[in-house]
């Protein structure tokens, strides 16, 4: 079980199409009931985070096995060798599908404020239905690398940046967050879903209230203006606890 389709896709679609409150609520409830009826038919469900395992348990789905992901050793190698820049650390990175469930719209709606510090840049890695529209509105400080299939190449991109933006509130685990921590980046994520679950294990997590643009900007600015050595050491140590794919 590595998706949360009702909350991630059905509910946002209903709200985006401005369905009447009562009709929309009925549609969401029906989708929810049908989906979880189907899910209960399995003999066992494997979830990637305690957050989603707890959600499934509350819906009467048993048994649920929690099996967190590991991280590619290439990212841990980057983290072990990282020499964080002194503040301000201006190289921002977004990695993920370019559509709203990953909250790329939140990143672009706050870009003018994120780019206020001179020299700040944003690199976007990923593909998706909103890619062309985002390219059309992007200022010159933003570059797009498209989808990178090779994990070693992606690790090198992480190596060249300071702060990972992971604003999506629907992560059932948050593999990109774990890769960012393994690479020694400061990671900004919402206080929701699997991403929030991972960052809460840090002494100083850069969390923001989900869907709150002002709080997102606050967290990014905070992550970009501290000495990154503490974040790097804590992130790599936490990522190592998850092990690698081979383990």
């Amino acid at each position: 079980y590595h998706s949360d389709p009702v909350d991630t896709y059905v509910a946002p679609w209903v709200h985006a199409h401005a369905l009447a409150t009562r009709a929309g609520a009925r549609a969401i409830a029906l989708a929810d009931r049908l989906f979880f009826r189907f899910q209960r038919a399995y003999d066992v469900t494997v979830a990637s985070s305690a957050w989603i395992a707890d959600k499934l348990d509350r819906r009467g789905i048993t048994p649920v096995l929690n099996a967190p992901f590991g991280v590619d050793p290439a990212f841990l190698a980057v983290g072990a060798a990282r020499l964080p820049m002194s503040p301000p650390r201006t190289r921002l990175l977004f990695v993920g599908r370019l559509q709203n469930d990953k909250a790329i719209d939140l990143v672009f709606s706050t870009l003018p404020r994120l780019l206020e510090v001179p020299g700040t840049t944003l690199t976007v890695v990923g593909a998706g239905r909103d890619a062309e529209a985002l390219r059309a509105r992007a200022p010159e400080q933003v570059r797009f690398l498209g989808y990178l299939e090779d994990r070693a190449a992606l690790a090198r991109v992480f190596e060249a940046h300071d702060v990972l933006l992971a604003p999506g509130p629907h992560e059932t685990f948050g593999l990109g967050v774990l890769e960012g921590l393994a690479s020694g980046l400061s990671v900004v994520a919402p206080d929701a879903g699997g991403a929030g679950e991972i960052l809460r294990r840090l002494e100083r997590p850069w969390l923001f209230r989900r869907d709150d643009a002002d709080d997102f900007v606050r967290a990014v600015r905070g992550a970009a203006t501290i000495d990154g050595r503490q974040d790097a050491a804590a992130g790599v140590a936490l990522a190592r606890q998850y092990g690698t794919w081979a383990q």
Side-chain angles (χ1 to χ4, degrees):
Y1 186 98
H2 190 58
S3 65
D4 195 9
V6 177
D7 286 346
T8 305
Y9 301 110
V10 177
W13 183 88
V14 167
H15 297 318
H17 288 76
L19 299 183
T21 302
R22 186 173 298 176
R26 284 200 301 266
I28 294 171
L30 176 62
D32 186 88
R33 186 165 59 252
L34 292 175
F35 178 80
F36 284 105
R37 180 185 300 172
F38 178 82
Q39 191 68 34
R40 291 187 192 97
Y42 292 104
D43 297 317
V44 63
T45 297
V46 181
S48 57
S49 67
W51 171 75
I52 204 67
D54 290 344
K55 180 173 184 176
L56 292 171
D57 183 68
R58 291 194 301 272
R59 299 309 305 266
I61 296 174
T62 57
V64 176
L65 174 65
N66 181 17
F69 293 158
V71 66
D72 192 299
F75 296 93
L76 288 169
V78 167
R82 174 170 289 274
L83 294 174
M85 296 176 61
S86 299
R89 299 179 305 135
T90 55
R91 303 174 299 178
L92 310 180
L93 175 65
F94 174 93
V95 179
R97 287 192 305 276
L98 303 186
Q99 57 191 58
N100 283 351
D101 62 295
K102 298 296 185 180
I104 186 65
D105 54 331
L106 176 62
V107 175
F108 272 72
S109 70
T110 57
L111 262 183
R113 286 187 283 172
L114 298 181
L115 299 177
E116 282 180 349
V117 176
T120 299
T121 61
L122 170 66
T123 300
V124 177
V125 177
R129 66 181 182 218
D130 297 333
E132 291 306 314
L134 294 172
R135 287 177 183 272
R137 59 189 279 206
E140 62 181 10
Q141 297 98 317
V142 180
R143 65 171 180 155
F144 292 81
L145 298 184
Y147 173 69
L148 296 179
E149 182 176 0
D150 182 72
R151 307 306 290 176
L154 183 58
R156 289 193 292 273
V157 172
F158 275 74
E159 184 177 23
H161 290 83
D162 307 304
V163 179
L164 176 66
L165 311 182
H170 303 293
E171 298 293 341
T172 51
F173 177 73
L175 181 58
V177 168
L178 187 61
E179 291 171 340
L181 294 175
S183 301
L185 277 72
S186 298
V187 179
V188 177
D191 58 353
E197 177 183 312
I198 292 175
L199 288 196
R200 284 191 184 93
R201 298 184 62 187
L202 295 170
E203 182 178 343
R204 182 178 63 185
W206 296 109
L207 292 168
F208 68 95
R209 291 184 297 274
R210 62 171 291 177
D211 304 322
D212 187 322
D214 291 337
D215 206 39
F216 174 64
V217 172
R218 173 202 60 77
V220 175
R221 287 177 173 171
T225 54
I226 51 91
D227 187 322
R229 286 173 292 186
Q230 180 180 339
D231 280 8
V236 172
L238 176 57
R240 283 177 176 156
Q241 294 178 30
Y242 283 85
T244 65
W245 287 106
Q247 296 171 320

